[in-house]
Amino acid sequence: MAEPVSAPAEPVVAPSPSGPPRSAAPPQRWVWRLNTASPEDLYAIYRAGLESDSVEAKFIASEAVGHCLLSVHDVHAGLAMADAQIKGDIELARTQLRDRCKLFYGESPQALRAGRKALHDAVYGPDSPISSVALDLPDDPGAAQVRQVRAALSRTLLRDGGDALLWAGGALSSWLQFLQQHPDQAAGLDETLREGATLGEAVLLASCTLGGHCGRGTLLQLMFCMQMGRCDAVDATVVAGAEDAPAAERMQAQAAVIAEAIRTGRLSRLGLPTAQPPGLWGP
């Protein structure tokens, strides 16, 4: 493990591209800086999230500290039999992640876990405005929950575009799976999304298309490499993991539909309202 590095005496606040972070709204485009942040910026994202009133900033901070807690773990036991090339790639990924996380080592693991729990509680608590889009839809939701998730997903995607997929990607894929199982609720849903079991992967590919940094050396790529032994760029890894060529093609087609629907605001293709519903984030 890398030698501990003393944390800054004062919390560092990560700037947003347009000035200081806003307290009540997510820092636009800052969400994707998480994946490519320098050691100083990554630690700053964590400290800023602890102090912020924005639950979106807290979610990003939770992701930052979660990745860095992973950096001190051993690689997955199931990768012990991997060939020398893969083992070398995994060890390089671990070294890169530890270097990216070096400022976190000035705090004890217990303090980091406590910080992550506080962030998690704020994101998923009953008063969180993004809790509806930060959690997967359950297998058998009630009508009220369906309405809530439909409205919350539409609102956050219209407001934040591809940025929202960092915290809403899981909810969107479970929403699309729900519509596959309940075609009576799927008015407007694009035909490409009406079948196929690769929706989670398609949403991840869409997030890469919409600006999510998915190349080599990003936090997400390092995590995939360490945990699964898949060390290519994230989008290439996801496509290569498809069951067969038709599944890979369907996944890519679904990702293109999802990305275009979010980019253009034509959310009806995702079975969602295209007008911003009232409440939650304003009139």
Side-chain angles (χ1 to χ4, degrees):
M1 175 176 170
E3 290 296 320
V5 177
S6 297
E10 296 293 333
V12 183
V13 178
S16 73
S18 58
R22 293 173 291 170
S23 62
Q28 299 299 315
R29 307 315 307 170
W30 180 33
V31 293
W32 296 121
R33 285 183 53 212
L34 171 69
N35 257 323
T36 57
S38 68
E40 294 75 17
D41 284 348
L42 190 62
Y43 185 74
I45 285 170
Y46 168 59
R47 296 302 310 178
L50 290 174
E51 303 297 328
S52 178
D53 293 331
S54 163
V55 289
E56 293 90 346
K58 289 184 180 298
F59 181 95
I60 299 163
S62 177
E63 292 287 291
V65 68
H67 280 89
C68 286
L69 284 169
L70 174 69
S71 75
V72 302
H73 295 168
D74 289 333
V75 297
H76 194 282
L79 301 176
M81 301 303 292
D83 64 36
Q85 176 63 52
I86 293 176
K87 284 183 177 179
D89 289 342
I90 293 169
E91 191 55 42
L92 177 60
R94 179 160 53 175
T95 299
Q96 290 176 322
L97 186 59
R98 286 177 173 175
D99 179 68
R100 197 81 61 83
C101 294
K102 61 187 179 182
L103 291 182
F104 287 79
Y105 300 152
E107 300 190 31
S108 70
Q110 293 82 1
L112 293 175
R113 291 190 189 97
R116 191 183 188 199
K117 182 180 186 303
L119 293 166
H120 182 279
D121 290 348
V123 170
Y124 296 103
D127 297 326
S128 166
I130 69 167
S131 59
S132 295
V133 290
L135 289 170
D136 292 352
L137 196 66
D139 291 337
D140 188 24
Q145 189 168 21
V146 169
R147 288 194 299 272
Q148 180 186 28
V149 170
R150 187 194 300 266
L153 269 174
S154 176
R155 187 176 297 111
T156 196
L157 291 172
L158 286 168
R159 188 188 71 165
D160 299 332
D163 286 355
L165 291 181
L166 184 61
W167 53 80
L172 177 59
S173 62
S174 66
W175 167 253
L176 295 173
Q177 289 163 7
F178 168 79
L179 294 183
Q180 285 184 349
Q181 297 160 7
H182 299 83
D184 58 305
Q185 304 257 12
L189 184 67
D190 192 280
E191 290 297 325
T192 309
L193 303 173
R194 289 182 179 269
E195 61 181 11
T198 57
L199 290 169
E201 292 86 350
V203 169
L204 180 54
L205 288 181
S207 75
C208 295
T209 300
L210 291 168
H213 294 297
C214 297
R216 283 182 175 270
T218 60
L219 289 181
L220 188 58
Q221 185 267 331
L222 296 177
M223 183 184 72
F224 273 26
C225 184
M226 287 178 60
Q227 292 190 319
M228 297 183 290
R230 298 179 180 178
C231 300
D232 288 330
V234 173
D235 47 0
T237 290
V238 170
V239 173
E243 181 179 352
D244 51 32
E249 291 174 5
R250 180 169 57 246
M251 180 197 307
Q252 291 171 299
Q254 289 175 335
V257 168
I258 293 166
E260 185 64 13
I262 294 172
R263 182 187 292 115
T264 62
R266 295 176 59 196
L267 299 187
S268 59
R269 299 181 72 187
L270 308 179
L272 295 168
T274 56
Q276 182 166 331
L280 198 60
W281 285 299

